Amino acid sequence: MLCLSDPSLLITQSLIGDAMCEGEQSWAVHNPATEQVIAQVRLVNEVSREVALVSAQAAQVDWAGLSGMARGQILRCWGDLMRANEQDLACLLTHEQGKPIVEARAEIAYAAAYFHWFAGEAERAYGRSLPAGDGKRYWVEPRPLGVVAAITPWNFPAAMLARKLAAAVAAGNGAIAKPALETPFSALAMVQLGIRAGLPAGLVNVLLTDQAEAMGAWFCREPGIAKITFTGSTAVGKWLLARAGAEVKPCTMELGGNAPFIVFADADLNAALEGFMACKFRNAGQTCISANRLLLQKSIAVEFLNLLRARLNTLHYGNGMSNGVNLGPLIHAKACKRLQEKIINAQNAGARVEWFGVDKREHSQGSFFVPALVTGVTPTMYLFTEESFGPVVAVTEFTTYEDAIELANKTQYGLAAYVYSQNITHINRCQRQLQFGMLGINDAHLSHVFAPFGGVKESGFGREGGLEGISHYQSQQFVAWGNNF
């Protein structure tokens, strides 16, 4: 049962302009833990998206004319309202996505922090003066782009949208958001709170559609969309880039990952274990920076795996609203099937599989996947070459430092990597030789509002968060003024 202190935060229509849009078609949103329908949402048509664009364009002109301080005040209020409604937002998130309520509350707090962070960045989006003579003036001024299209995934539906909207709006842009249809309620509630905080009507719109390809194609070809920011799979990112590139439209792409988690023989094994558990099983392993490949130096592999087995037995999976649950379901049955196929592929190629975890469900339903430990994983197996996106530990052993680096870099992805070692030489070489946009050294926590988030290679380009985040939603205008003074 979904019980909210503020029932008006459960919104089932798209937000366009200053109103909720009643579409003709509906879509049932299910709780992945119970398989029950939470609510039916209404889907927009082609006319609605045009209305959303016109609304955003009209509101953006006046919004861009405000001072950065004025925009920052509204963003800060937006973040405050999210924190004030944290329990309701977390409840919505757990019901639609499945993650434990403790994780959901942490995600809402993290999302709110982006509005607070970019409130400050809005106030300090400085330009600069350049040297000039002969009565001339030269300067560089950051300018907003216009209306930004933000496409977000289901695994962190609040956080992923918050770090896009906060930066885009802080820079003076309008936005059209297309959340994943599996998890629409977080986006709708968040933007509703933004409107309550003082966002102009129509500046930020939320469109619900089951025609993702058609919507993506429209974002790419529509001249009124100034930029696309996308978080999701590399395959979809490439599809969008091919179309946006034809229009020379700027994009930010946060795509797939295949993070190695390297444990050297000189590491603090207890610290490595804590770090691995934190970044592997958060959101049931459904994170793009999850530790996808556990690389263990042979001399400590047995000891580390014994410690790991004991910790895997503390995983309790079930409904995220239930006490004692620290592992929720996968997003749907198809995700379970894909992960099972990867494990079967590894088994057929000689890997060994062990199952762990305690079932805390009252009824055997939902898209749950029993946590697994798979040893003997080789670089030819899908568990090594592709994201598992689930609670499966894929173990590969190595002998030398050079072996570890070669295995870690043996991927087309380059989002995140983790290294545990007390050897300063190993650490220094890893920092220089690992081909990833983010690196955790004896630290498994890479997501911070003050730090740039993003990858290299087929993990995408552009950065979200940090000092760098707002710059991706601005153009830099150079002005040469030749009047004599």
Side-chain angles (χ1 to χ4, degrees), residues 401 409 426-435 439:
Y401 167 86
N409 287 335
H426 283 170
I427 291 172
N428 186 57
R429 291 175 67 189
C430 284
Q431 190 270 320
R432 295 175 181 274
Q433 295 177 2
L434 287 172
Q435 300 164 1
L439 176 62

Side-chain angles (χ1 to χ4, degrees), residues 1-15 20 22 27-31 37-42 85 87-96 182-193 196 208:
M1 180 65 69
L2 182 56
C3 297
L4 303 179
S5 298
D6 182 357
S8 69
L9 289 177
L10 176 59
I11 301 169
T12 59
Q13 299 92 26
S14 296
L15 296 176
M20 297 180 190
E22 279 282 2
W27 176 278
V29 180
H30 292 82
N31 182 332
V37 175
I38 303 168
Q40 299 274 347
V41 296
R42 308 298 292 183
N85 291 274
Q87 182 59 31
D88 277 355
L89 294 174
C91 187
L92 285 171
L93 179 50
T94 291
H95 277 77
E96 67 181 348
E182 293 91 340
T183 54
F185 302 122
S186 293
L188 292 163
M190 180 193 303
V191 174
Q192 179 63 36
L193 290 175
R196 294 180 189 177
L208 305 182

